[in-house]
Amino acid sequence: MSYTKLSDTVKIKPSEAAKEIYDIALVNRELSENARKLAPAIIEKLTKYELFRMALPKHLGGIEDNPIETLKTYETLASAETSVAWIVWNNHLACTFGRFLDSTSINEIYKNPNDVYANSTRPEGFAKIVPDGYLVSGRWTLVSGCELADWFVLRCLVTGGELPTKLGPGAKLKLMYVPKKFVKIIDTWSVGGLRGTGSHDIEIEETFVQENYAVDFESSVENNTAYNRLPIGAINASGCAAMSLGLLKGAIDELTKMCLDRVTPGKNPDLRDRLTVQTVLAKAKSTLAAHRSQLHNSVSTLWKESINENTFTDEQLADVWAASCEAATVARSLISEIYAVAGTSSLYTKFRIERIHRDVHAVLQHGIIQPHWMNQAGMAYVGLKPTAAMFRI
């Protein structure tokens, strides 16, 4: 097993590192919220424990181990401050795309252990074919962590020759690696949920990207490891679900703390004496455990198949998509119940429930966790072929 490096002699798992960061994330919640980007103290710890690099090969700081480790990491971080987990999760995807680079390019782009990465899979840019590469231009929305990033991985419509100039049949898409010096950040992130992610728009104007820094989902994978054989879409969805479960855990913890802190003498009933509070806490704790187990089991199945170099069945992939969508949806529902039974206290920012309620609704706006993925899973279960391209990628 690969562990994140703490010193020359002590190594800890990413999930254990997340526990170390938990208190720092809590202490810096308001700073991250107000600045609309992660506080420097948080970035320092995430970098130290290499949590931005989990999807990379081992020699570049990755784990190359059961992805359950990443799910535990996201859940723990999200239970403290969702924006921290969100940026770590986004870096995992940006590093996952590194599997499609040749060995020289991946070592060039990911060589600095202090670098942070951002990405957008929205094809909102254009890459004009020129000798030895592309000229990239465009404006991308919702680029999480853009103010922190040293490198950007941005999806573009490739143009030139007989290629279409609009999205649709025959369109060619590629992911372009662009260093931060060519990226202009446009302040657009005026939002409620996930404020600390700093998901502003970015803009690039006619920037040259060399051919070997442009990849797509059909590019060859030189480093054929079990981790690099994992499906990008399903694993990404499971990470989003893990964050949702972390938010639910945070809401459970906060409501429990509120109950224990508000024990008063006399005959007047306290918060903990309310039937609705007792009921929702019991339901939330059992539901959290059940959905965590289902999510981890489905992802572990993919890991075992990947180790053995087996092809994933549609049913196995469907299990991850379905577990992810259901876990996230149920987490949002139960957080809303917790918000309701906590009464007027939920309105106040001094209680974590207020922000958790905002954040979970923001998390579930992501396309990787939308209801249509449950439909795709259902198709697999009845013997039909799921039609969404990312279902198997």
Side-chain angles (χ1 to χ4, degrees), residues 276-295:
T276 53
V277 170
Q278 297 164 359
T279 300
V280 77
L281 274 176
K283 181 167 67 171
K285 285 179 72 68
S286 61
T287 302
L288 171 62
H291 282 283
R292 179 194 292 130
S293 177
Q294 182 187 23
L295 183 67

Side-chain angles (χ1 to χ4, degrees), residues 212-237:
N212 53 332
Y213 281 15
V215 300
D216 56 40
F217 296 133
E218 295 180 356
S219 298
S220 61
V221 178
E222 289 187 12
N223 189 21
N224 186 30
T225 63
Y227 206 89
N228 280 349
R229 290 192 291 270
L230 289 169
I232 295 174
I235 293 300
N236 202 38

Side-chain angles (χ1 to χ4, degrees), residues 64-336:
E64 288 193 356
D65 202 354
N66 193 326
I68 297 304
E69 188 61 30
T70 68
L71 302 187
K72 293 177 180 178
T73 301
Y74 302 143
E75 183 180 333
T76 297
L77 295 175
S79 68
E81 171 55 28
T82 327
S83 293
V84 180
W86 187 268
I87 296 301
V88 171
W89 175 65
N90 269 265
N91 271 261
H92 185 277
L93 182 59
C95 290
T96 294
F97 294 143
R99 68 174 64 171
F100 298 117
L101 293 166
D102 60 54
S103 58
T104 300
S105 298
I106 191 173
N107 286 322
E108 290 172 348
I109 291 172
Y110 295 100
K111 64 184 177 183
N112 189 340
N114 295 316
D115 278 354
V116 181
Y117 303 88
N119 75 91
S120 176
T121 57
R122 296 167 177 262
E124 296 177 317
F126 296 88
K128 180 182 177 181
I129 298 174
V130 295
D132 301 318
Y134 306 86
L135 275 184
V136 174
S137 299
R139 177 167 172 163
W140 290 261
T141 56
L142 300 166
V143 184
S144 297
C146 57
E147 292 178 287
L148 310 172
D150 298 283
W151 280 90
F152 293 77
V153 194
L154 304 168
R155 206 172 189 194
C156 295
L157 175 67
V158 178
T159 62
E162 300 298 319
L163 290 172
T165 57
K166 295 182 180 180
L167 296 173
K172 184 176 182 179
L173 301 176
K174 278 188 174 289
L175 293 159
M176 302 284 165
Y177 279 84
V178 182
K180 67 178 179 181
K181 66 181 179 180
F182 298 114
V183 177
K184 177 184 177 182
I185 296 172
I186 303 168
D187 191 334
T188 55
W189 194 239
S190 298
V191 296
L194 293 176
R195 279 179 60 84
T197 64
S199 303
H200 301 285
D201 289 10
I202 65 165
E203 191 172 53
I204 296 175
E205 295 184 4
E206 293 199 327
T207 295
F208 177 74
V209 174
Q210 61 196 64
E211 178 67 41
N212 53 332
Y213 281 15
V215 300
D216 56 40
F217 296 133
E218 295 180 356
S219 298
S220 61
V221 178
E222 289 187 12
N223 189 21
N224 186 30
T225 63
Y227 206 89
N228 280 349
R229 290 192 291 270
L230 289 169
I232 295 174
I235 293 300
N236 202 38
S238 69
C240 195
M243 285 188 287
S244 303
L245 294 177
L247 279 161
L248 178 56
K249 176 65 164 56
I252 292 170
D253 291 345
E254 185 70 358
L255 182 57
T256 302
K257 183 177 184 299
M258 291 166 67
C259 287
L260 298 177
D261 287 348
R262 295 183 178 190
V263 179
T264 58
K267 296 182 179 180
N268 291 330
D270 294 316
L271 182 63
R272 69 175 183 174
D273 296 314
R274 297 177 187 175
L275 176 63
T276 53
V277 170
Q278 297 164 359
T279 300
V280 77
L281 274 176
K283 181 167 67 171
K285 285 179 72 68
S286 61
T287 302
L288 171 62
H291 282 283
R292 179 194 292 130
S293 177
Q294 182 187 23
L295 183 67
H296 288 196
N297 286 340
S298 63
V299 171
S300 285
T301 295
L302 294 188
W303 177 243
K304 292 174 184 176
E305 295 298 323
S306 191
I307 289 174
N308 293 322
E309 300 190 42
N310 293 330
T311 301
F312 310 118
T313 68
D314 281 351
E315 289 82 0
Q316 289 170 338
L317 294 169
D319 285 346
V320 177
W321 285 108
S324 300
C325 290
E326 187 65 9
T329 302
V330 169
R332 177 176 58 188
S333 177
L334 279 168
I335 288 169
S336 293

Side-chain angles (χ1 to χ4, degrees), residues 312-363:
F312 310 118
T313 68
D314 281 351
E315 289 82 0
Q316 289 170 338
L317 294 169
D319 285 346
V320 177
W321 285 108
S324 300
C325 290
E326 187 65 9
T329 302
V330 169
R332 177 176 58 188
S333 177
L334 279 168
I335 288 169
S336 293
E337 287 191 49
I338 290 172
Y339 183 92
V341 300
T344 56
S345 295
S346 297
L347 302 174
Y348 292 89
T349 57
K350 68 178 181 179
F351 296 112
R352 292 171 56 207
I353 289 174
E354 184 274 335
R355 189 184 303 178
I356 288 171
H357 187 254
R358 279 190 280 130
D359 283 349
V360 76
H361 285 275
V363 168

